[in-house]
Amino acid sequence: MASALAAPGRGALHVFAYHLTGYRRTWWGTAFSSFLLPLIYLAGIGLGVGGYVDRGHQLGVDYLSFLAPGVLAATGLSIAIDESMYRVYSQFAWDRTYEGMLNTPLRIVDIVLGQLAFVVFRALVAVTVFLLVMAAFGTVHSGWAVGVLPTAMLLALACAAPTFAFTATQHTDSSFAVLTRFVVIPVQLFSGVFFPIAQLPAGVRVLAWLSPLWHGVEVCRSLTLGTPRLWPVLGHLGYLVAWAAVGLLLAHRAFRRRLVV
């Protein structure tokens, strides 16, 4: 397995270019979920609810500055998982794109890495725009904020790779609604995006610690507020790297089992 992932060559670039070409024709359809919905969160919750939160002075920073990097990280996660469910499943079950790719010199590793690169690119575009909007809202307080972009890319990979593996094992699309309702939404609610997880019960707090989103939120928030500390940041990033590495291996194995008879 490791040797199969060692040298993807130029094939992954061709797969990435294929998905990018398709996206150039359809990107308007993703504008709401990728850009407008997070902005509504900022304006509605950050400015509206934030006015009440700030009166209590409980966070040590205005609520909008607390909320914005969390929503940015959650946007990266949401795009990564959305792109890793129906889009991937359709190429197994409906379009059978992957079967066509395997009739070329492309390998399983090229297919997996090329499409994962596209998913990470999608997340990068969205969080870049979001970071610019954050700056316009006055919620970027440090030059360290540029580190949010590679952090969001790593978070997207850490979430997309295991979702690729899950999708490759599915033979109907009914499980994706379950995944969204009972995994994605609770993770977004209880990973420190909207409030500190210290306010959660101890048992739920442990689940938040296990979530890759909480680690991404912590890094993004410390960078935009200008309060990063070396070892906590390295620990959070290391955790995301572990998720990405395990997810890549599982995705490669699941794709091979599904596509190679």
Side-chain angles (χ1 to χ4, degrees), residues 180-252:
T180 300
R181 292 172 185 170
F182 296 102
V183 178
V184 178
I185 293 177
V187 163
Q188 290 176 329
L189 291 176
F190 301 111
S191 293
V193 175
F194 302 102
F195 54 86
I197 66 168
Q199 299 178 4
L200 294 172
V204 180
R205 204 179 307 154
V206 172
L207 296 178
W209 291 336
L210 295 175
S211 162
L213 178 58
W214 177 73
H215 295 271
V217 168
E218 287 293 296
V219 175
C220 290
R221 185 169 288 140
S222 68
L223 292 172
T224 58
L225 294 179
T227 59
R229 292 183 297 165
L230 179 61
W231 291 113
V233 167
L234 290 180
H236 292 310
L237 295 178
Y239 188 77
L240 294 177
V241 168
W243 266 77
V246 173
L248 280 169
L249 292 174
L250 292 176
H252 183 267

Side-chain angles (χ1 to χ4, degrees), residues 97-121:
T97 307
Y98 295 140
E99 292 181 10
M101 288 181 174
L102 286 179
N103 286 320
T104 72
L106 293 174
R107 301 167 296 164
I108 297 292
V109 65
D110 298 320
I111 295 172
V112 173
L113 292 183
Q115 190 162 359
L116 278 172
F118 169 75
V119 172
V120 172
F121 170 78

